[in-house]
């Protein structure tokens, strides 16, 4: 019955700094009917990337074996602030200056002749986890994604909550340790500067620079990487590398403080934690975070009614969520 | 036309540690039609206090010159966590142990033969400011009340947002300075331990104990008070007392950090700041808070779209908000 299913299909795109991932999903159950991946090649500029996004979308649709007219809408998540109402990307530091005020909705809409909607990558990730992932069935949840930075997406009353300037969910820039290390944004003590993968990497590098031994230097050499990926950090942690273990414990502690701050403000049904480290290390990463968080709850009754769980869609959350959001906005 | 007005009147009660304040308001415009105040006399226990609340309500109704049957409902705000669905006070540290699990809704409903609803004092204060005070017309706002402690109430989509365990809005227990001073709750670095009136008092006492001169000791003697009220602190600040000025600047800084954390998470239309110090010192208190907060926003565009304003209902906010909430819940 591919035909009837096709009448409710929708496309989602996760536009990242290194790759573009497009999916076609069945709008009734989130099943992925087709997918395509391309390199972003951000250095070629926004117009060239929009063309590549368009190509990935066409390829995903072709892979789904649905007729093109069966596709209802396209949603795109981009790594930076957006103005969803205007359909404009405000800025994408990872993609370059040609994205400042870039009218992506118009550009893609023109190329693909379909309604296009836009949001930032963590918001669509939160929508994905809420609709088809770990947060399924909840009304009020916060998703926190830990990677190079820390971003969040807020679901309230079952809907993405964007805030008056479309910048809700910026949990990475909540101050949790006044006077702490400088954040990429220029201010000090923000969660991102304490609990991101980048913060862990900074701490390990500082320890090594101070003369402490760590197997991380060997792992970097062996893999030929110049950044400490979640996989490298996970391997070093599993091997009991003291420097890594201590840096990760610090980051877990600060992530716990961040979660507690969000819970004391929102008392939501669920906190979903995602990102490479959580995927690589699983509950070993989650447990200490939960413990620290619960210690700082002001309401210590029924602490487990605020579920703290791992994201379940992995790196497909963004594309799937973008598709879901496109459909929701089309209906409005 | 007192009669037709009466058909939409509702009673609100602010039950505090030292006094009970009851108002009858016109449900269409929030106009106060009658009011009454009594001492709480908490030491006599929950039943005796419930009786006094009941008396204050009757007196406020009598003062409104409305017929008793014109009153639609009663709302009560209490200084502690509640279970609004069960109609039960969970705990009121300021009022004593007889309030643990006290069925206030049943007790008052029995005495007054009217539907009674219950919430905590900061939540009803937020509802008051949202409906008839500084936050009028907003959809998404956070009220933060600074006093002995720091409490908050969250309005989302035009409605009080209570959270899954009815403990949303506990901004006083968000960590903003990991490793900072101990909070009353037993954990360290919470906003309440850094930006409340109690935190200011602690810092001034520490400075005096270390031998620094402050006119606060003379002001305490002259007024015969043993705590540093907002009025005493305001007078010392206005007189340029160095110890007080420095303690207040610290508290303003930390309140600014707290506001920024809430704005980065919620990006709301408005932050309403209330409490004795804000009332006493006005914009002199508000401005440094706003400056610090905006410095930590991750979204630095259109910063003034998140209005940071002073509460406007003063100590009537709670009773008025309790009345509004009672009417809203009656309609559901």
């Amino acid at each position: 019955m591919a035909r009837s299913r096709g009448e409710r299909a929708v496309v989602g795109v996760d536009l990242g700094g290194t790759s573009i991932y497009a999916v076609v999903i069945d709008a009734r159950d989130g099943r992925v009917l087709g997918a395509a991946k391309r390199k972003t090649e951000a250095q070629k500029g926004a117009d060239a990337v929009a063309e590549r996004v368009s190509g990935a979308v066409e390829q995903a649709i072709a892979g789904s074996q649905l007729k093109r007219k069966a596709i209802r809408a396209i949603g795109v998540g981009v790594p930076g602030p957006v103005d969803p109402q205007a359909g404009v990307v405000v800025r994408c530091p990872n993609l370059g200056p040609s994205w400042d005020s870039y009218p992506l909705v118009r550009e893609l809409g023109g190329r693909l002749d379909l309604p296009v909607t836009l949001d930032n990558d963590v918001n669509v990730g939160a929508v994905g986890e809420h609709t088809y992932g770990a947060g399924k069935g909840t009304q009020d949840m916060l998703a926190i994604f830990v990677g190079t930075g820390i971003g969040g997406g807020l679901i309230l009353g079952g809907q993405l909550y964007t805030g008056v300037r479309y910048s809700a969910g910026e949990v990475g820039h909540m101050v949790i340790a006044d006077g702490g290390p400088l954040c990429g944004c220029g201010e000090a003590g923000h969660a991102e500067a304490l609990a991101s993968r980048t913060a862990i990497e900074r701490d390990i590098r500082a320890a090594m620079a101070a003369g402490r031994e760590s197997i991380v230097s060997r792992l970097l050499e062996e893999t030929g990487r110049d950044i400490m990926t979640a996989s490298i950090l996970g391997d070093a942690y599993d091997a009991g590398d003291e420097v890594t273990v201590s840096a990760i414990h610090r980051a877990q502690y600060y992530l716990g403080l961040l979660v507690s701050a969000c819970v004391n403000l929102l008392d939501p049904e669920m906190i979903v934690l995602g990102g490479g480290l959580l995927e690589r290390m699983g509950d070993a990463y989650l447990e200490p975070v939960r413990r620290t968080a619960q210690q700082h709850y002001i309401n210590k009754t029924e602490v487990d009614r605020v579920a703290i769980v791992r994201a379940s869609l992995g790196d497909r959350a963004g594309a799937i969520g973008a598709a879901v959001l496109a459909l929701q906005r089309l209906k409005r």
Side-chain angles (χ1 to χ4, degrees), chain A:
Chain A
M1 297 284 99
R3 288 300 165 271
S4 81
R5 190 167 65 207
E7 290 179 1
R8 287 154 158 270
V10 57
V11 175
V13 180
D14 186 358
L15 169 53
T18 55
S19 62
I20 296 161
Y21 180 57
V23 297
V24 179
I25 67 167
D26 185 322
R28 293 169 308 185
D29 56 14
R31 205 147 41 93
V32 174
L33 308 174
K37 202 164 185 175
R38 304 211 164 177
K39 289 213 183 309
T40 305
E41 302 191 352
Q43 75 284 358
K44 295 186 178 166
D47 283 335
V49 172
E51 189 59 39
R52 297 181 72 76
V53 168
S54 175
V57 169
E58 295 288 13
Q59 190 185 336
I61 294 173
S64 74
Q65 301 193 302
L66 295 170
K67 288 199 170 156
R68 211 166 167 303
K69 68 173 182 184
I71 308 296
R72 305 286 303 277
I74 299 174
V76 187
V78 301
V82 300
D83 182 338
Q85 206 120 38
V88 168
V89 176
V90 174
R91 201 168 58 246
C92 275
N94 295 344
L95 294 178
S98 58
W99 288 87
D100 290 8
S101 304
Y102 188 72
L104 185 61
V105 163
R106 197 183 67 206
E107 291 296 327
L108 282 182
R111 282 177 171 84
L112 291 160
D113 196 24
L114 275 165
V116 176
T117 189
L118 191 64
D119 218 302
N120 75 58
D121 52 357
V122 277
N123 277 353
V124 297
V127 170
E129 289 293 340
H130 174 253
T131 313
Y132 295 118
K136 207 168 164 177
T138 61
Q139 282 294 300
D140 303 309
M141 63 155 254
L142 171 65
I144 299 179
F145 297 98
V146 179
T148 315
I150 294 182
L154 199 47
I155 306 292
L156 294 172
Q159 297 291 320
L160 178 67
Y161 175 90
T162 57
V164 66
R165 297 175 300 157
Y166 310 112
S167 56
E170 287 281 10
V171 294
H173 301 278
M174 293 170 72
V175 183
I176 53 173
D178 174 50
L182 262 193
C183 183
C185 76
E187 299 301 327
H190 292 184
E192 183 165 300
L194 294 154
S196 63
R197 193 171 42 66
T198 316
I200 296 171
E201 175 158 354
R202 176 203 59 213
D203 288 354
I204 294 175
R205 283 194 197 280
M208 294 194 303
R212 294 196 56 193
E213 295 274 324
S214 167
I215 63 166
V216 168
S217 48
R218 181 168 57 77
L219 294 174
L220 283 171
E221 260 176 57
E222 280 174 12
T223 54
R225 305 298 300 252
D226 52 3
I227 63 156
M228 298 177 197
T229 58
S231 159
I232 290 175
L233 292 173
D235 289 351
Y237 185 93
D238 289 347
D241 181 66
E242 273 186 37
V243 167
T244 304
V245 168
S246 136
I248 284 179
H249 284 177
R250 267 172 62 91
Q252 289 168 323
Y253 169 75
Y254 287 118
L255 185 57
L257 293 189
L258 174 63
V259 168
S260 77
C262 296
V263 169
N264 283 334
L265 177 52
L266 292 172
D267 192 33
E269 286 169 82
M270 185 178 281
I271 303 280
V272 175
L273 298 176
L277 279 165
L278 273 294
E279 279 170 44
R280 169 63 181 77
M281 292 180 54
D283 288 340
Y285 208 92
L286 193 70
E287 256 318 308
V289 174
R290 183 188 283 138
R291 221 160 35 232
T292 302
Q294 291 183 344
Q295 189 184 333
H296 282 267
Y297 288 1
I298 181 62
N299 183 349
K300 294 216 161 55
T301 61
E302 299 181 276
V303 290
D304 291 322
R305 285 194 64 188
V306 182
I308 301 180
V309 303
R310 276 191 293 144
S312 68
L313 299 182
D315 54 16
R316 297 178 313 146
I320 290 174
V324 171
L325 197 61
L327 199 71
Q328 285 174 358
R329 288 187 176 155
L330 190 70
K331 282 180 182 162
R332 262 180 238 162

